[in-house]
């Protein structure tokens, strides 16, 4: 079942999400619905708070070499903790909760992550490239942060201007 995605400036996006402690069928339904929602919306990453659930979980599905997004390259990351980082990199980010706006954002280039999977099993991974960027973007959502909050003053003003214009055009 597809879930509605909440968008800026919905205040729920500022929530500090809570740790997942119960790994039951209901949780698995949420994860499956989030996957469907993300794919239908042409996303590569989605945090639970974007579908109004304040839980520390996120999903990522980076397209493979053929540009396909399948369950084979789906990552379900619960209660993530970044334990190590290296370097910095800049990438033009977007967000399903800030549709139509893209800006360059600086992130760590590589990272080590510990987390739990949908069964509550402890996992870890090392990431670089787009995956490392996406993980940081999604973890920010768990802490109530959007990528537009990382913009410089002038870029943020550019965003506010474009946002107001888009609002007017919708009316
Ligand atoms: C986060 O973002 C991300 O504006 C995932 O109209 C972004 O899936 C991680 C999307 C960049 C790493 C790099 C955005 C779809 C999808 C839009 C997304 C839109 C349609 C964003
Ligand atoms: Co986002």
């Amino acid at each position: 079942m597809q879930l509605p995605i909440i968008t800026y400036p919905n205040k729920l996006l500022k929530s500090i999400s809570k740790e997942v402690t119960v790994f039951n069928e209901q949780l698995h339904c949420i994860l499956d619905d989030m996957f469907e929602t993300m794919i239908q919306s042409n996303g590569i990453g989605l945090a639970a708070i974007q579908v109004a659930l304040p839980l520390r979980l996120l999903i990522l599905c980076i397209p493979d070499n053929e540009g396909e997004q399948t369950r084979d390259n789906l990552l379900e990351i619960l209660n993530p903790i970044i334990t190590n980082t290296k370097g910095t990199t800049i990438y033009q980010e977007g967000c399903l909760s800030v549709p139509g706006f893209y800006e360059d954002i600086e992130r760590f280039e590589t990272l080590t992550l510990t987390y739990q999977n949908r069964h509550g099993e402890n996992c870890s991974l090392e990431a670089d490239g787009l995956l490392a960027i996406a993980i940081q973007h999604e973890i920010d959502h768990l802490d109530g942060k959007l990528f537009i909050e990382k913009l410089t003053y002038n870029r943020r003003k550019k965003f506010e201007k474009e946002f107001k214009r888009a609002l007017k055009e919708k009316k």
Side-chain angles (χ1 to χ4, degrees), residues 107-123:
R107 301 284 186 184
F108 299 116
E109 189 172 20
T110 67
L111 59 84
T112 309
L113 188 76
T114 64
Y115 64 100
Q116 287 172 295
N117 65 15
R118 64 158 65 200
H119 306 294
E121 294 158 348
N122 293 323
C123 305

Side-chain angles (χ1 to χ4, degrees), residues 50 94-97 137-138 141:
Q50 295 181 270
C95 179
L96 286 169
S97 293
H137 176 110
E138 300 307 335
H141 277 298

Side-chain angles (χ1 to χ4, degrees), residues 2 10 12 22 29 36 61 89 103 107 112 128 153 162:
Q2 221 178 311
N10 191 314
L12 272 179
V22 185
C29 275
E36 190 186 331
C61 195
T89 184
E103 269 295 352
R107 301 284 186 184
T112 309
D128 61 11
Y153 180 75
E162 285 181 25

